[in-house]
Amino acid sequence: MGAGRAAAQASHASNAFWHKYGKRAEAQAWASSTKQGFGTAIVLGATLDQIKEKCAAAIEQKFPTDTVIDPDYAIAFSSELLPFMRSQSEIASGNAKIEQSEKDPTKYILHREEITCAYIFGEKEALQPILGDLPLYS
């Protein structure tokens, strides 16, 4: 995931958190900790399996958490890979589609729902046992 896409997905996570938990006292306190109305956010790198694992652990410990699902995540790939893709009917039944790139006929674009990131809200020290092994996103 490139830097621009990652920034957009992190923004989606922040907005999803605020939409779901913004009226809670701890969220309000976090927001008021800075003049511009946002607290500290730390962005970590993780695989999809790690996201699922960390969110499950956070839920178990009652931290506000959720995954962010991009409803139309686009992935470009070379036409050489097209024969290895599932059939169009299988893809269509799974809320995904493949189209040929208008800009480059040797490329195709897979559109599908995709978990792109997650948020876990809490005090840094309290989250350390769950998230401490993940690197900062770079």
Side-chain angles (χ1 to χ4, degrees):
M1 185 181 299
R5 185 175 260 185
Q9 296 304 324
S11 175
H12 295 332
S14 177
N15 287 322
F17 163 75
W18 198 251
H19 179 75
K20 190 170 182 178
Y21 294 104
K23 293 182 180 176
R24 292 175 73 168
E26 60 268 28
Q28 292 291 320
W30 171 79
S32 66
S33 70
T34 62
K35 290 181 194 176
Q36 293 180 318
F38 57 85
T40 300
I42 300 171
V43 181
L44 304 173
T47 65
L48 179 58
D49 287 341
Q50 288 171 319
I51 289 171
K52 291 177 180 179
E53 171 194 328
K54 303 301 182 179
C55 285
I59 289 168
E60 187 175 299
Q61 294 187 32
K62 308 285 191 249
F63 288 105
T65 186
D66 206 351
T67 56
V68 174
I69 300 173
D70 188 323
D72 187 21
Y73 193 81
I75 303 166
F77 64 94
S78 167
S79 60
E80 296 170 338
L81 296 176
L82 193 58
F84 301 102
M85 301 297 287
R86 293 182 286 162
S87 73
Q88 284 284 45
S89 62
E90 287 178 311
I91 289 169
S93 68
N95 292 328
K97 67 178 184 172
I98 294 177
E99 64 184 8
Q100 192 168 18
S101 171
E102 292 179 10
K103 295 179 183 175
D104 182 351
T106 67
K107 301 275 187 204
Y108 284 80
I109 303 168
L110 170 65
H111 295 269
R112 69 177 184 195
E113 285 187 352
E114 184 77 27
I115 295 173
T116 56
C117 60
Y119 61 83
I120 300 174
F121 180 75
E123 295 291 329
K124 182 179 175 182
E125 296 76 23
L127 291 171
Q128 178 67 25
I130 298 172
L131 304 174
D133 62 326
L134 296 177
L136 290 174
Y137 182 82
S138 61

